[in-house]
Amino acid sequence: GYGANYLPSTFIIFALWNLPLKVFSMLPVEWGDWNVPFFLWNKLLVAIVFFAVGYLIFRICRDCFLFNEVKAKLASVIFMASPIAFYNQFIFSQYDIFAVFFLLLGVYYYFKMEEEHKNLFHFVLCIGVATTFKYYAIVYGVTLILLKEKNVLKFLTYFAGFILPSAVLGGTYFILDRDSFIESVLKFNVLGYATEAQNGLSVGSETINLMIVVLCVVMAFAYFTSVSDKWNWMCWSVYLCCGVSFGIFSFMKWHPQWIMIAIPFWSIAFILNKKCETFLWVDLLLGLVFNIFVVNKYIGICDESLFRYGILSPIVRYREAADIVMADIYRYDDMNILFSLMVAIFLI
């Protein structure tokens, strides 16, 4: 049906979360029959998971990198105070945070795998679950395992573990409603973003997909990199994940909320760098460029319309405001320049 473009994991989580509303007969009866308590209840879920991600960053920095409490909390605050993270979670309010949570939980177990063997299983499972929410989460998992595991057969075993949850959910969906699965999931238009080569390089009659090139180089670099100790292994893990983020969001068409998955790695990388304060200014610059880009590219979708037509619009009275959009205030017509600036900051 409409909107069922992802695997069932997202819908399962919201179904479980809405059980109390079902018990008290507070669920909407028909499509579009929404109410404010219903919206706020579901927004509460993604907000809780957002803060849970912040706590995971704190635990990774404290328990794995062995930073002191203050420094670990600073990394968490950097994530939660990021302009892009704040916009995506509390203004756009999307559910990409589920993928971020399971990916970060997997990273936590990844750094702990040498302490207990079962943590390796937890890492593979978490990456697999994250992939059911956002498919590109698997690229982070593959990169991390290539840095640690050089045995090809073992790598293939872990890769099978990454795709198993998606295969189970997708197979179940296919069996229950084959036509809907094909039309809504397999033919979902965003799946084509990875092959469109937004910033492709033309060579004769062919076009080189730079996203695929960069991601392959990052994963190859991970495989051929030998780390001498745990500290270097963890640092390389964070930096390579930043490289994956650069490859995905610099050379592929994306939606604003997707970038959320990169911010935890940037936040940890800031703390690892001696010039942390400088990177915070860079993050603010990225937030400014990002917002100008979004309100000019997605007019009427991801701008003030989120308030004008939101659930609190009768209270904030945006419907009665002058017919001015944010693009009239933050006017910038050359999207290529803005996108180029963001790509440069992604690389930095």
Side-chain angles (χ1 to χ4, degrees):
Y2 175 77
N5 301 123
Y6 293 100
L7 294 177
S9 50
T10 301
F11 305 99
I12 292 172
I13 286 183
F14 277 108
L16 294 174
W17 178 254
N18 280 287
L19 281 177
L21 299 186
K22 176 69 174 178
V23 172
F24 292 102
S25 301
M26 297 178 62
L27 283 178
V29 178
E30 298 179 358
W31 177 265
D33 183 24
W34 318 126
N35 55 67
V36 173
F38 173 74
F39 269 120
L40 291 179
W41 175 251
N42 284 280
K43 288 178 182 292
L44 175 62
L45 172 60
V46 292
I48 291 173
V49 179
F50 175 79
F51 289 112
V53 170
Y55 179 70
L56 273 176
I57 293 174
F58 165 75
R59 289 293 300 272
I60 289 172
C61 291
R62 188 194 67 179
D63 300 349
C64 302
F65 285 96
L66 302 181
F67 291 147
N68 59 46
E69 293 269 338
V70 174
K71 198 170 184 178
K73 289 178 180 178
L74 178 59
S76 178
V77 171
I78 289 174
F79 164 75
M80 292 187 289
S82 168
I84 297 179
F86 186 88
Y87 166 83
N88 283 333
Q89 197 55 61
F90 297 107
I91 298 178
F92 204 15
S93 193
Q94 292 293 299
Y95 40 81
D96 298 68
I97 198 66
F98 294 145
V100 180
F101 173 80
F102 284 104
L103 176 59
L104 262 289
L105 185 60
V107 170
Y108 177 82
Y109 286 121
Y110 174 75
F111 289 151
K112 290 285 188 178
M113 69 168 62
E114 292 182 343
E115 298 178 13
E116 291 188 70
H117 187 69
K118 66 178 181 180
N119 288 334
L120 176 59
F121 169 77
H122 293 153
F123 160 68
V124 173
L125 178 62
C126 287
I127 298 298
V129 173
T131 303
T132 67
F133 294 103
K134 289 294 177 181
Y135 303 135
Y136 47 72
I138 197 173
V139 183
Y140 292 89
V142 167
T143 302
L144 291 173
I145 208 65
L146 284 173
L147 179 63
K148 187 66 176 176
E149 183 56 67
K150 311 303 180 183
N151 184 295
V152 176
L153 291 179
K154 288 185 178 180
F155 164 76
L156 293 175
T157 301
Y158 301 142
F159 182 77
F162 291 159
I163 65 175
L164 182 60
S166 295
V168 171
L169 289 176
T172 303
Y173 191 172
F174 180 82
I175 293 172
L176 294 177
D177 193 343
R178 175 181 177 179
D179 294 336
S180 180
F181 178 76
I182 293 174
E183 291 296 322
S184 298
V185 178
L186 296 184
K187 293 184 179 181
F188 189 25
N189 66 312
V190 301
L191 296 179
Y193 290 1
T195 57
E196 286 178 1
Q198 174 174 289
N199 289 340
L201 179 64
S202 296
V203 179
S205 60
E206 310 300 332
T207 300
I208 297 175
N209 188 317
L210 293 179
M211 184 197 73
I212 294 177
V213 171
V214 172
L215 292 181
C216 286
V217 169
V218 171
M219 288 186 284
F221 191 87
Y223 180 77
F224 290 111
T225 297
S226 297
V227 290
S228 56
D229 53 47
K230 185 176 181 179
W231 174 263
N232 284 315
W233 164 45
M234 293 190 298
C235 290
W236 272 114
S237 298
V238 173
Y239 297 146
L240 287 170
C241 285
C242 289
V244 170
S245 301
F246 168 73
I248 293 175
F249 299 115
S250 297
F251 304 109
M252 182 183 76
K253 181 181 178 181
W254 41 261
H255 295 170
Q257 70 273 20
W258 293 4
I259 300 183
M260 178 72 83
I261 203 167
I263 301 175
F265 300 109
W266 293 342
S267 303
I268 298 174
F270 291 171
I271 293 296
L272 290 173
N273 197 285
K274 295 180 180 179
K275 297 185 180 295
C276 176
E277 184 176 341
T278 302
F279 277 102
L280 294 180
W281 285 108
V282 172
D283 188 48
L284 288 175
L285 175 62
L286 175 60
L288 175 63
V289 177
F290 171 84
N291 283 312
I292 296 175
F293 177 82
V294 167
V295 299
N296 281 278
K297 185 175 179 63
Y298 300 98
I299 298 176
I301 301 175
C302 302
D303 51 9
E304 83 293 331
S305 60
L306 295 170
F307 294 99
R308 190 185 298 270
Y309 304 109
I311 59 175
L312 300 179
S313 58
I315 299 175
V316 297
R317 306 180 72 83
Y318 266 89
R319 291 179 185 271
E320 301 175 13
D323 190 21
I324 299 176
V325 298
M326 291 185 70
D328 295 326
I329 301 173
Y330 301 104
R331 169 62 61 186
Y332 200 91
D333 296 324
D334 195 338
M335 294 295 99
N336 293 328
I337 294 295
L338 292 174
F339 188 77
S340 298
L341 288 173
M342 286 192 292
V343 169
I345 298 174
F346 293 159
L347 180 58
I348 294 172

